[in-house]
Amino acid sequence: MLTSEKSCEKETLKSSSESNQLKNDAPKKWFLTLSLFSKMGDRMWTFAAYLLLAKAFPDQRLVLGGFFGLSIAISTAICSSWTGGWIDRSKRITAATTCLVIQNISVAVAATAETLCILWPFDIERSPIIEYLAIAIVTLFSCIAMVASIGHQICIDRDWVPEIFKGDALTSVNAWVRRIDQFAMLAGPVVASLVIDYANPWVGGVAIAVWNILSVFVEYYFMKKIYNFFPSLSVKENPKDVDKSGMADWILAYSQWYNSPVFLPGLALAILFSNIFQLSYLAQAYSTSHCVSTTFIAVIWIIAGICGFSSTIWYESWVKSYGLTKVAILGAILHFSFVIITVVGLFVPGSMYIFYLNVSSSKECPQQMNETALEDYEFKPTDDDNWIMDYSTPCTPPESILSILIMLFACALSRVGLWTFDLAVNQMFQEWVDKDKRGKVSGAQNGMQYIFDCVHYGLVFVWSEQCEYGNGVIITAFLMLLGYGSFIQQGLTKQEHEALPTNEKPTSREDIVLEA
């Protein structure tokens, strides 16, 4: 009994000490600096990975795009839950450091391999076997890097952060991390593209490899400072299911997520990865097939970044005023409203959707034209200063640009709601999941995200023609409606989870008390 009282007193003193330490802004600055280096590296590699691969093997772009994207999505879907379980069983500093080193070294190896393929400084002829081997090496290490990146995010964003920051401080840090991510989403591709286009592709590969190697030391330095500053990070309860491994561990992770209060919000977030018209290579391909210039696409990407950034500014005050669940519902409604506008864009002038054109098969749809055929095409504008359209590569000029403009602007403006919902759901995982289950539950949810990412790519293989693309847009919009609808129904009929006292927080969705 005496021992128990001393233990409680010790925990109270430690909690009070850490509360006083949080008044110092230093830990927050350390964490945000860590996030800056991590997010910049992620965004540069995400943008440049396939671009460098296409530069190294220009004759296999379409096959490479599908193979590369699917490989990463499948490997992440399979390994995320296992990675989360391993994180739960490991010391915090060990798990975070291992994920950091594996991720950055894997990216450095993949970027170096791409650089060698671009330069090819060897006397050996590049036979098909060598090319396939090089593609396999780049893809393998890219998959490893992605799985390790997910693990690092689980360690830091969903375990360390809620352990260190509480209440309004947690909301503030989450908003700042997303601002950093939005900045990296804009700056990372700009830096990478400038180096690749204006210096040389191989210089871009070398720069990314060097950045990731140096970033290991910088990120570890700040991780260690944070870890040493907060003694509570070194105290971690071992999960009761520590004996489980392999398939049993994988099944357990999904079972724990299903029985947790974050199942429906996490599922709704995962379904968003199936969206076939988001800021991705597929949206770029669809736009350029309509003769939209890369300059205009870049402008849309910048507008999307600004919209995403703006959501982080309002997020803190919204959560303080309305609570997490209501903010998440608001984000879901805002996002899906623009998704509906994207679907509407398939049925306005300029659309090449098979049902809008009222043709019986894709063979009757407009085909891509080369530059010679485009010279006499009746819908091609004659203004040489037209920066929205680009006819220098094969494309299909639309009779009107209204359809593609509606779809692109709706996609960009939807980021306000998308990032609001994403931020709120991420904070739900931080606050509503027991600390000894954060890894497994987060890993299972991340795995489901990439299962839907496989759907995202798979739909393009099913409907590969330009005029059939709208089928995927409508199907994924329906999937998002189901996900958002289920979450909103729960949110409107259940009491606010975060309003419950800490020691009475529910451990499952069924435990959330119905509103009176």
Side-chain angles (χ1 to χ4, degrees), residues 48-59:
Y50 172 71
L51 183 60
L52 290 174
L53 202 60
K55 295 282 187 181
F57 307 100
D59 297 331

Side-chain angles (χ1 to χ4, degrees), residues 277-300:
F277 201 82
Q278 54 181 306
L279 297 184
S280 67
Y281 294 123
L282 297 183
Q284 289 179 351
Y286 183 74
S287 301
T288 54
S289 68
H290 282 64
C291 303
V292 175
S293 70
T294 54
T295 302
F296 187 70
I297 293 175
V299 170
I300 293 295

